[in-house]
Amino acid sequence: MTMDLPDLPDLLAARRTLAGVVARTPVLRSDILDERAGARLFFKAEGLQLTGSFKVRGAYNKIRSLSAAELAPGLITVSAGNAALGAAWAARAVGARLVVVMPENAVPEKLAAVAALGARIEKDGVINATQAFERLARLREEHGYTLVHPFDDPFVIAGAGTAAWELLEEVPDLEALAVPTSGGGLLAGALLATRGLAPRAEVYGVQPEGADGLVRSLAAGVPTAPERVHSVADGLTAPKPGVLNFELIRRHAAGVVTVPDAAILDAMALIIRHLRVIVEPAGAAGLAGALADERFRDRRVGVLLSGSNTGTERVRDVLVAG
Amino acid sequence: MTMDLPDLPDLLAARRTLAGVVARTPVLRSDILDERAGARLFFKAEGLQLTGSFKVRGAYNKIRSLSAAELAPGLITVSAGNAALGAAWAARAVGARLVVVMPENAVPEKLAAVAALGARIEKDGVINATQAFERLARLREEHGYTLVHPFDDPFVIAGAGTAAWELLEEVPDLEALAVPTSGGGLLAGALLATRGLAPRAEVYGVQPEGADGLVRSLAAGVPTAPERVHSVADGLTAPKPGVLNFELIRRHAAGVVTVPDAAILDAMALIIRHLRVIVEPAGAAGLAGALADERFRDRRVGVLLSGSNTGTERVRDVLVAG
């Protein structure tokens, strides 16, 4: 099978495309969290990115790669929220129309923010990922929309990789990375970035126990979804990794750590308390993984805080519990 | 009266001293907050600075300026919290001993964090600023400690000015700045920074109504404390501006805006919701001022988010109310 796998030059091209367009997010530190983890942690705060997550990097890189003929019929994507927000921002930036297929039960703040960016939302009757992808296929057939895939695309992966690239520019001697993953865009992108800047660093994906499509895929040798996906981390509920993502991960990732939802919520509270930034549950999964797994102990670890789009009720709840 | 007023070269020297030591904090944006304010707002997120506030900039710049003979007897400062944290971090960085006079009723998180950085806290019987400065004077006399003033010092002002300097480097065409103020370190520093990078920008101080020492000082023509200081913004309760700070502010500031505590708490909730960072009440005062005063309308406004050191209970409370 030949695949158009993205590589280092694609990431470098994405960096040029994104320069001056997206934010260079800060790298945060906390002695208290280091002590908790028994490791030295460097947090890349992509929750402070435009649209509140890293997703805008890949979406903008993809949409800017499209020809006038591809932009003309309008664009379409599918997402529980962050990819939709990133694509909506990027589509508005280039003046393209965008349709987003989202689940009816998406986080209300995410639905409202996507609509506010001018995208048209298709959600009636869409409950799960299978229905979402079916709706997407039908709409593409009817209207000829150009697909902006939320993760399974070389431009999207290369764009996502610029987040880990910036982290490695600032902290070149990282020994391991902990990357929240479901579709695999951020993780595959981080693998490209380490290839360029830290070839010896081990890159680990982190998944919720209830959304462990990558673990199953690695066991099966092909992208494989669990029967049921359920996690508090709505941003990590793509049922299985993309084809390109899986191939890069299969070849280069050091492993995948799974964490229960309770550990994700604990990590969320720790991040808000000690790093002073809001994260959504998906954004806290990397820390949950770094705290849970012995392979991060005594090492210099990059932790990707992937996004911050969550309701304030959730923030209050974790601060009460934590 | 001749005074050793800091000027642009002092700020540039502070930048060199602080380069690679303190964090370059991000500038955050929100379309929603712009709409609320009827202005274009650029937030300098100093709550993500080391020790959770801008204060470490001035403290480190000051402590690094001291001779071995000045460091030898140990250092002393006085603070409700953020200046203490900054000085404690800086003293630890250079291996100096530090005594901090803090009020008994300081925010518990601030007391704990100062102690964790290795500073000795003197707080028994210290309730208000007068008592704190008396205690400081007595301890200096007894032990010969070298003073690290929390704001009334050329090195501290120049160090604080590097925050506004970085903001103006990123957003050179700001027309106004909104700066939380009590002792006047951040405000006086911002006046130095605009002199260098944006001479036409108008710089406004923002004070809580219950801690309006600067307003009274400007009316009286000399630093003058109100009879009573009381505000939810514990970081803005220095009773009156420093002598150097007042002189710079009197000469160069465009004005002072006062805001009620309720507006500060509303602004705090808006920042957490829309910028996805934690701020303490003092850190939210700049936005409260920008929202309240017509002079910011339709302009490009820099807002200093000065710090983030507050308890999670306060965060929960403002999210419930907001």
Side-chain angles (χ1 to χ4, degrees):
Chain A
M1 181 161 72
T2 61
M3 267 187 280
D4 185 18
L5 287 182
D7 207 342
L8 193 48
D10 302 291
L11 188 154
L12 294 173
R15 271 190 89 225
R16 292 193 296 276
T17 300
L18 296 172
V21 174
V22 303
R24 187 179 178 108
T25 53
V27 178
L28 307 178
R29 299 257 316 111
S30 160
D31 291 341
I32 293 171
L33 294 182
D34 281 2
E35 232 170 84
R36 283 260 194 155
R40 204 157 155 77
L41 306 179
F42 299 84
F43 296 90
K44 179 68 171 168
E46 281 291 293
L48 302 180
Q49 186 51 269
L50 304 183
T51 75
S53 94
F54 76 96
K55 285 283 191 179
V56 71
R57 294 175 183 264
Y60 187 83
N61 193 45
K62 171 65 178 178
I63 291 174
R64 277 290 304 278
S65 80
L66 297 173
S67 67
E70 288 167 316
L71 290 169
L75 311 176
I76 190 164
T77 193
V78 53
S79 161
N82 284 337
L85 275 165
W89 189 94
R92 193 182 63 168
V94 306
R97 287 174 303 129
L98 174 71
V99 176
V100 182
V101 181
M102 291 179 79
E104 284 185 341
N105 60 345
V107 173
E109 284 81 358
K110 290 182 179 174
L111 285 164
V114 170
L117 285 167
R120 186 160 69 77
I121 296 173
E122 285 268 342
K123 66 176 170 45
D124 297 348
V126 177
I127 307 292
N128 58 38
T130 310
Q131 291 167 334
F133 277 95
E134 281 170 7
R135 177 72 58 89
L136 176 116
R138 184 163 63 72
L139 288 167
R140 284 189 72 190
E141 201 169 314
E142 282 174 20
H143 301 282
Y145 296 137
T146 297
L147 177 63
V148 177
H149 198 284
F151 46 84
D152 198 355
D153 180 289
F155 287 94
V156 173
I157 292 170
T162 60
W165 183 274
E166 289 174 4
L167 172 58
L168 288 162
E169 277 185 336
E170 270 182 61
V171 195
D173 53 355
L174 290 179
E175 297 164 287
L177 267 73
V179 186
T181 193
S182 62
L186 191 60
L187 179 55
L191 292 166
L192 298 186
T194 50
R195 190 177 317 173
L197 290 179
R200 290 191 189 165
E202 294 183 350
V203 181
Y204 293 88
V206 183
Q207 295 207 296
E209 284 180 355
D212 62 346
L214 178 57
V215 175
R216 288 162 196 260
S217 302
L218 288 168
V222 290
T224 306
E227 271 184 37
R228 186 167 158 277
V229 167
H230 187 77
S231 170
V232 68
D234 64 287
L236 295 178
T237 51
K240 60 182 177 180
V243 172
L244 299 175
N245 311 262
F246 178 70
E247 189 57 24
L248 283 167
I249 294 164
R250 187 185 66 71
R251 292 186 194 176
H252 304 296
V256 185
V257 179
T258 57
V259 288
D261 276 3
I264 290 175
L265 293 174
D266 285 350
M268 191 176 155
L270 288 171
I271 289 163
I272 295 171
R273 276 179 206 278
H274 299 296
L275 300 180
R276 323 305 286 163
V277 293
I278 303 295
V279 284
E280 62 184 284
L287 175 59
L291 290 170
D293 199 289
E294 282 302 316
R295 287 173 289 184
F296 296 105
R297 222 56 71 233
D298 296 321
R299 303 179 84 176
R300 294 170 66 84
V301 181
V303 179
L304 277 289
L305 305 180
S306 52
S308 64
N309 292 310
T310 188
T312 46
E313 268 180 50
R314 169 75 70 194
V315 173
R316 289 200 312 258
D317 290 350
V318 301
L319 292 181
V320 173
Chain B
M1 182 162 73
T2 60
M3 267 187 279
D4 186 18
L5 287 181
D7 207 342
L8 193 49
D10 303 292
L11 189 154
L12 295 172
R15 273 190 86 226
R16 292 194 296 277
T17 300
L18 296 171
V21 175
V22 303
R24 187 178 178 109
T25 54
V27 177
L28 306 178
R29 298 258 317 114
S30 159
D31 291 341
I32 293 171
L33 294 182
D34 281 2
E35 231 170 84
R36 283 259 195 156
R40 205 156 153 77
L41 306 179
F42 299 83
F43 296 89
K44 179 68 171 168
E46 282 290 293
L48 303 179
Q49 186 52 267
L50 305 182
T51 75
S53 93
F54 76 96
K55 286 282 190 180
V56 72
R57 295 176 182 263
Y60 187 83
N61 192 47
K62 171 65 178 177
I63 291 174
R64 276 291 306 278
S65 80
L66 298 173
S67 66
E70 289 167 316
L71 290 168
L75 311 175
I76 189 165
T77 193
V78 54
S79 160
N82 285 337
L85 276 164
W89 189 94
R92 193 181 65 168
V94 305
R97 286 173 305 128
L98 174 72
V99 176
V100 182
V101 181
M102 291 180 77
E104 284 185 343
N105 61 344
V107 172
E109 285 81 359
K110 290 182 178 174
L111 285 164
V114 169
L117 285 166
R120 185 160 70 75
I121 296 173
E122 284 269 342
K123 65 176 172 42
D124 297 348
V126 177
I127 309 291
N128 58 39
T130 309
Q131 291 169 333
F133 277 94
E134 281 170 7
R135 176 73 58 89
L136 175 118
R138 185 164 62 74
L139 289 166
R140 283 190 73 191
E141 202 169 314
E142 283 174 19
H143 302 281
Y145 297 137
T146 297
L147 177 64
V148 177
H149 197 286
F151 47 85
D152 198 356
D153 181 289
F155 287 95
V156 173
I157 292 169
T162 59
W165 184 274
E166 288 173 6
L167 173 58
L168 288 162
E169 277 185 337
E170 270 183 60
V171 195
D173 53 354
L174 291 179
E175 297 163 288
L177 267 74
V179 186
T181 193
S182 62
L186 191 60
L187 179 54
L191 291 166
L192 297 186
T194 50
R195 191 176 316 172
L197 291 178
R200 289 192 189 163
E202 294 182 351
V203 181
Y204 293 88
V206 183
Q207 295 207 295
E209 284 179 355
D212 62 346
L214 178 57
V215 175
R216 287 162 196 261
S217 302
L218 288 168
V222 290
T224 305
E227 271 185 39
R228 185 167 158 276
V229 167
H230 186 77
S231 170
V232 68
D234 65 287
L236 296 178
T237 52
K240 59 182 177 182
V243 172
L244 299 175
N245 311 261
F246 177 71
E247 189 57 27
L248 284 166
I249 293 164
R250 187 186 66 72
R251 292 187 194 176
H252 304 296
V256 185
V257 179
T258 57
V259 289
D261 277 2
I264 290 175
L265 293 174
D266 285 350
M268 191 177 155
L270 287 170
I271 288 163
I272 295 170
R273 277 178 206 278
H274 299 295
L275 299 180
R276 322 306 285 163
V277 292
I278 303 295
V279 284
E280 63 185 281
L287 175 59
L291 290 170
D293 199 291
E294 282 303 317
R295 288 173 288 185
F296 297 104
R297 222 54 73 234
D298 296 322
R299 303 178 85 175
R300 293 169 66 82
V301 181
V303 179
L304 278 289
L305 306 180
S306 51
S308 63
N309 292 308
T310 189
T312 47
E313 267 179 50
R314 169 76 69 195
V315 172
R316 291 201 312 259
D317 290 350
V318 301
L319 292 180
V320 172

